[in-house]
């Protein structure tokens, strides 16, 4: 029976291998400190945090998230450890909450490895505190217990660490927050929260919604382009009733949650896994169900790999401890007894890792079977370029929920990839890194080829966006200061789908930036004034994408400032940025451009393991999408897009 603890209450732990699960109303940093019999933290080596997530017997999350699972093996802790204190803190991110009183009360559960709850604790009564010692596991007379603490600190993480006697607490707190910021920069954003009606809405600032041109669209979720903002509420036009936004909900759709998934395949026989079915998730439409299913597969693979890695770490830690005990006895260092103990320790390690591998292979086989039925069923927006769905492509009349921008896989699952879907409209710009990274693929590619591949990737991303938007609801501008991307841009230019010729030279750069900056300013002013119907007639109401090649070549200080402005303010009013750049080329600007790089989702033109999932924080290898060799699918799709733009319909 689960013990529901209140502040100060304790409960005996029936086992020593545990999970501590944290749920919060906003992303939080989770960590833990180890204390001796006096509760003293002996140094930074006794603190697990996102910058140093693993200690013997303890592993915490590598980034801030609304949900965490901390792995604890009390038997594997150092002998001197008598206390484990679980810490929560709010990350210092711009626009995020700065006190626990502004978010839902965090909930902490101590569970067994099978998920069975042993004890739970809801941290109520927090207000100005931005850090809290949630609970502690402590050893008393040889037995381990859990105590609900709930001690908050208005001084934040530094004050909490200082209270535990940590030397240099302020510097350590700063380094932890910096590690969290780096993790958030590289993390894929989870799917967005569902609105009460289960409906998805357009950006509040897009002229189409501001002019009342929005239409009902299915979709609900958070989504990884780099951790998620709630959907914006559409701005009511002058003709809307006073007192609230337009209601885009279907008049006969009254349910607060989407319908359950369609009937699944017949139940599996005992001992056999269920037969996978495409669309086996909740949602109003098949596209929404497939979107939710892909995200479910993404999370399943992340947690499956985490369980395997944790089991392997436990096996290695156990073997090290057994060998240490054996070698600590001088009598066992020589003779057959020592050799036998070492063989037994290694055999036990091999047995544990073998069982973990069997469980991993079983889970991977089930996920691979699911992927095999899901991939062929994906709509064009979610499908790879090699999917036959593109051969029957027609320009859509509604914006899809999301767009596939690549694939992700882990070292344990090289034969299986997860589609990387980002929500539409884009909530964050993209940066295609044309520089040389630490990946093996980048090391085998010369600099000129990396730049070419980066621009080709930008063209493919832009083509997919043009293809999934209704006719004339998405415009693409290009800045190519030196004209070096002419070959890569040929498909877009030849199809006539760009808003204008690629801008070159300082004059072209200045003209395009001025045009888009004016658009952002006008839409923002119209929204603030409640005068969306007074926008100039020459303002293009479509979503706008600006592709910038070879930055910062051709950019003066004013142009750089305008670009930063578009990156920060543009997405909320339908102006999106896609940078093709090597950060080293802009190193002369120093930290001035750091906010620009952080605001963009970084992807690469070749395989690179730089993205992290929002649940566990694994480093995932990103694979960009490519058209099949010799295929004309890109040209055919763009031809149909161009034809639809000319006629205004499919």
């Amino acid at each position: 029976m689960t013990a529901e603890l209140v502040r100060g209450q304790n409960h005996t732990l029936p086992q020593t291998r545990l999970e501590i699960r944290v749920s919060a109303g906003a992303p939080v940093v989770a960590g833990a400190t180890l204390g001796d019999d006096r509760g003293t933290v002996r140094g930074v080596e006794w603190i697990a945090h996102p910058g140093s997530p693993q200690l013997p017997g303890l592993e915490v999350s590598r980034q801030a998230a609304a949900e965490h699972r901390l792995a604890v093996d009390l038997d594997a802790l150092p002998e001197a450890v008598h206390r484990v204190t679980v810490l929560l803190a709010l990350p210092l991110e711009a626009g995020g909450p700065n006190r626990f009183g502004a978010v839902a009360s965090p909930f902490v559960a101590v569970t067994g490895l099978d998920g069975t709850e042993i004890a739970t604790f809801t941290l109520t009564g927090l207000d100005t505190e931005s850090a809290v010692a949630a609970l502690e596991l402590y050893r008393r007379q040889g037995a381990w217990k859990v105590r609900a603490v709930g001690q908050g600190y208005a001084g934040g993480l530094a004050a909490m660490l200082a209270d535990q006697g940590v030397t240099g607490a302020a510097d350590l707190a700063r380094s932890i927050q910096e590690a969290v910021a780096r993790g958030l920069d590289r993390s894929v954003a989870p799917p967005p929260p569902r609105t009460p009606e289960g409906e998805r809405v357009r950006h509040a600032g897009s002229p189409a919604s501001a002019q009342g041109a929005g239409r009902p669209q299915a979709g609900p979720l958070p989504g990884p382009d780099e951790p998620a903002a709630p959907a914006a509420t559409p701005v009511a036009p002058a003709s809307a009733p006073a007192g609230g936004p337009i209601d885009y909900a279907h008049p006969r759709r009254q349910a607060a949650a989407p319908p359950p998934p369609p009937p699944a395949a017949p139940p599996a026989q005992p001992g056999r896994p269920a037969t996978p079915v495409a669309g086996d998730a909740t949602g109003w439409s098949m596209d929404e169900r497939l979107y939710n299913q892909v995200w479910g597969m993404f999370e399943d693979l992340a947690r499956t790999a985490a369980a395997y890695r944790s089991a392997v770490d436990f096996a290695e830690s156990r073997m090290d401890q057994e060998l240490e005990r054996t070698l600590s006895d001088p009598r066992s260092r020589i003779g057959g007894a020592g050799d036998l103990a070492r063989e037994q320790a290694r055999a036990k390690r091999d047995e544990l890792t073998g069982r973990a591998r069997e469980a991993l292979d079983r889970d991977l086989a089930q996920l691979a079977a699911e992927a095999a039925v899901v991939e062929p069923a994906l709509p064009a927006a979610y499908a790879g370029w090699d999917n036959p769905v593109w051969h029957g492509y027609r320009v859509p009349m509604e914006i899809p929920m999301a767009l596939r921008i690549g694939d992700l896989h882990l070292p344990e699952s090289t034969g299986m990839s997860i589609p990387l879907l980002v929500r539409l409209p884009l909530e964050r710009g993209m940066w295609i890194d044309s520089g040389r990274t630490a990946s093996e693929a980048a090391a085998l590619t010369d600099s000129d080829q990396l730049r070419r591949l980066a621009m080709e990737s930008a063209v493919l991303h832009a083509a997919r966006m043009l293809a999934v938007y209704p006719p004339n609801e998405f415009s693409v501008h290009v800045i190519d200061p030196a004209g070096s991307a002419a070959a890569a841009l040929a498909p877009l230019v030849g199809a006539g789908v760009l808003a204008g010729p690629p801008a070159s030279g300082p004059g072209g750069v200045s003209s395009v930036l001025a045009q888009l900056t004016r658009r952002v300013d006008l839409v923002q002013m119209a929204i603030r004034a409640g005068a969306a119907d007074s926008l100039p007639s020459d303002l293009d109401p479509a979503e706008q994408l600006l592709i910038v090649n070879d930055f910062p070549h051709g950019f003066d200080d004013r142009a750089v400032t305008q670009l930063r402005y578009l990156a920060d303010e543009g997405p909320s009013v339908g102006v999106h940025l896609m940078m093709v750049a090597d950060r080293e080329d802009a190193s002369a600007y120093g930290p001035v451009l750091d906010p620009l790089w952080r605001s963009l989702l970084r992807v690469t033109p070749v395989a690179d393991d730089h993205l992290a999932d929002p649940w566990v924080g694994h480093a995932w290898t990103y694979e960009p999408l490519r058209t099949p060799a010799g295929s004309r699918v890109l040209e055919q799709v763009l031809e149909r897009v161009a034809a639809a733009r000319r006629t205004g319909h499919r």
Side-chain angles (χ1 to χ4, degrees):
M1 182 175 179
T2 303
E4 297 181 1
L5 306 180
V6 297
R7 189 175 279 107
Q9 188 177 0
N10 60 37
H11 182 73
T12 300
L13 295 172
Q15 58 200 80
T16 56
R17 293 194 67 194
L18 309 164
E19 273 193 351
I20 298 174
R21 303 187 179 190
V22 178
S23 297
V28 296
V29 182
T33 59
L34 306 181
D36 58 19
D37 54 353
R38 297 182 179 181
T40 303
V41 180
R42 296 186 176 179
V44 294
E45 66 277 7
W46 273 26
I47 303 174
H49 56 81
S52 179
Q54 288 184 316
L55 297 178
L58 178 64
E59 182 174 3
V60 304
S61 302
R62 292 169 171 78
Q63 62 192 49
E67 294 186 0
H68 293 272
R69 293 187 184 185
L70 283 63
V72 181
D73 180 4
L74 298 173
D75 288 337
L77 295 173
E79 288 291 333
V81 172
H82 286 253
R83 182 176 301 173
V84 179
T85 304
V86 177
L87 315 175
L88 304 178
L90 293 171
L92 301 179
E93 56 177 332
N98 57 11
R99 60 188 186 91
F100 275 108
V103 300
S105 298
F107 173 81
V108 184
V110 180
T111 76
L113 296 185
D114 60 356
T116 302
E117 290 185 346
I118 299 170
T120 64
F121 176 40
T122 302
L123 285 77
T124 58
L126 298 175
D127 186 11
T128 61
E129 298 89 345
S130 59
V132 60
L135 54 77
E136 63 182 15
L137 313 178
Y138 64 98
R139 182 161 51 187
R140 181 71 52 82
Q141 297 178 346
W144 283 94
K145 297 183 178 183
V146 56
R147 176 186 291 120
V149 180
Q151 174 64 54
Y153 295 84
L157 190 56
M160 181 166 55
L161 294 172
D163 190 46
Q164 296 195 29
V166 177
T167 303
D171 291 339
L172 177 59
R174 189 179 307 110
S175 68
I176 292 173
Q177 292 287 5
E178 289 173 354
V180 170
R182 289 193 298 271
L184 289 173
D185 289 344
R186 61 194 289 267
S187 176
V188 171
R194 189 184 303 275
T195 63
E197 298 81 10
E199 290 291 306
R200 188 165 63 95
V201 293
R202 297 172 72 97
H203 274 305
S206 72
S209 65
Q211 294 171 351
R215 55 181 169 273
Q217 298 175 29
L221 265 169
D225 160 11
E226 298 139 315
T233 303
V235 176
S239 59
I246 301 172
D247 181 9
Y248 287 118
H250 192 287
R252 292 186 298 277
R253 186 174 292 165
Q254 302 298 328
Q269 297 178 0
R272 288 178 169 272
T275 303
V277 177
D280 187 16
T282 59
W284 292 110
S285 65
M286 176 56 83
D287 285 3
E288 181 179 348
R289 292 196 293 268
L290 287 168
Y291 173 78
N292 292 346
Q293 187 172 13
V294 168
W295 270 92
M297 293 164 58
F298 188 13
E299 182 175 3
D300 287 348
L301 182 53
R303 297 201 185 281
T304 292
Y308 170 70
R309 295 179 185 182
S310 177
V312 171
D313 289 343
F314 168 75
E316 294 287 348
S317 174
R318 176 171 178 158
M319 182 187 71
D320 291 342
Q321 284 187 316
E322 291 179 354
L323 291 176
E324 185 178 351
R325 283 196 295 268
T326 299
L327 296 175
S328 65
D329 184 356
R331 293 171 297 178
S332 64
R333 294 178 187 172
I334 56 176
D339 293 338
L340 179 61
R342 282 189 282 270
E343 289 178 8
Q344 289 175 338
R346 294 190 179 101
K348 185 63 176 177
R349 185 270 315 273
D350 294 342
E351 178 189 354
L352 292 174
T353 55
R355 292 209 303 255
R357 186 72 221 189
E358 288 177 5
L360 174 68
D361 290 341
R362 182 178 62 249
D363 291 342
L364 289 179
Q366 189 169 350
L367 284 169
E370 186 174 8
V373 298
V374 169
E375 187 72 39
L378 295 177
Y382 304 174
W385 286 110
D386 57 350
N387 192 307
V389 71
W390 286 104
H391 297 301
Y393 165 76
R394 296 182 67 190
V395 178
M397 297 306 293
E398 289 190 352
I399 304 172
M401 287 185 63
L403 182 74
R404 185 172 183 165
I405 63 169
D407 294 321
L408 299 171
H409 66 79
L410 290 171
E412 293 88 351
S413 64
T414 52
M416 177 189 170
S417 296
I418 300 292
L420 174 54
L421 303 180
V422 297
R423 293 283 297 205
L424 291 178
L426 294 175
E427 297 174 347
R428 187 179 182 185
M430 295 176 63
W431 164 30
I432 303 174
D433 190 351
S434 60
R436 187 172 299 282
T437 64
S439 72
E440 180 180 355
L444 297 174
T445 309
D446 63 50
S447 298
D448 291 340
Q449 189 177 6
L450 280 174
R451 293 178 187 274
R452 178 180 59 80
L453 291 174
M455 196 60 204
E456 289 177 356
S457 292
V459 168
L460 289 174
H461 289 310
R464 291 178 74 86
M465 293 181 197
L466 285 164
V468 302
Y469 269 77
N472 299 312
E473 289 200 18
F474 195 83
S475 297
V476 178
H477 307 259
V478 176
I479 290 179
D480 184 22
S484 59
L489 290 169
L492 298 178
V493 174
V497 292
L498 294 178
S504 61
V509 172
S510 176
S511 175
V512 172
L513 290 177
Q515 175 186 346
L516 293 178
T517 300
R518 171 181 175 267
R519 183 189 187 280
V520 172
D521 290 339
L522 288 175
V523 175
Q524 285 185 336
M525 288 189 292
I527 291 172
R528 285 195 294 265
D533 56 346
S534 64
L535 288 168
S537 58
D538 64 340
L539 187 140
D540 182 3
E543 299 267 330
Q544 309 286 313
L545 174 69
L546 172 60
I547 301 175
V548 177
N549 181 46
D550 208 17
F551 176 81
H553 180 79
F555 281 73
D556 55 21
D557 289 345
R558 184 171 185 273
V560 169
T561 301
Q562 288 177 312
L563 195 68
R564 289 182 55 189
Y565 176 72
L566 292 178
D568 292 339
E569 303 294 333
S572 65
V573 291
V575 177
H576 312 287
L577 185 61
M578 185 180 292
M579 297 270 290
V580 180
D582 179 356
R583 189 169 182 172
E584 287 299 316
D585 291 344
S587 58
Y589 287 94
V592 171
L593 290 182
D594 286 352
L596 172 64
W597 304 117
R598 286 198 298 266
S599 70
L600 304 173
L601 170 61
R602 176 176 171 256
V603 295
T604 51
V606 295
D608 190 86
D609 58 351
H610 65 284
L611 290 177
D613 65 79
W615 305 285
V616 184
H618 292 318
W620 293 71
T621 297
Y622 168 81
E623 294 272 3
L625 297 176
R626 297 286 180 206
T627 55
S631 170
R632 293 195 70 254
V633 62
L634 176 62
E635 290 78 8
Q636 291 168 355
V637 168
L638 290 176
E639 286 171 5
R640 294 178 188 175
V641 170
R645 290 164 69 92
R646 288 192 297 269
T647 60
H649 56 75
R650 293 182 293 175

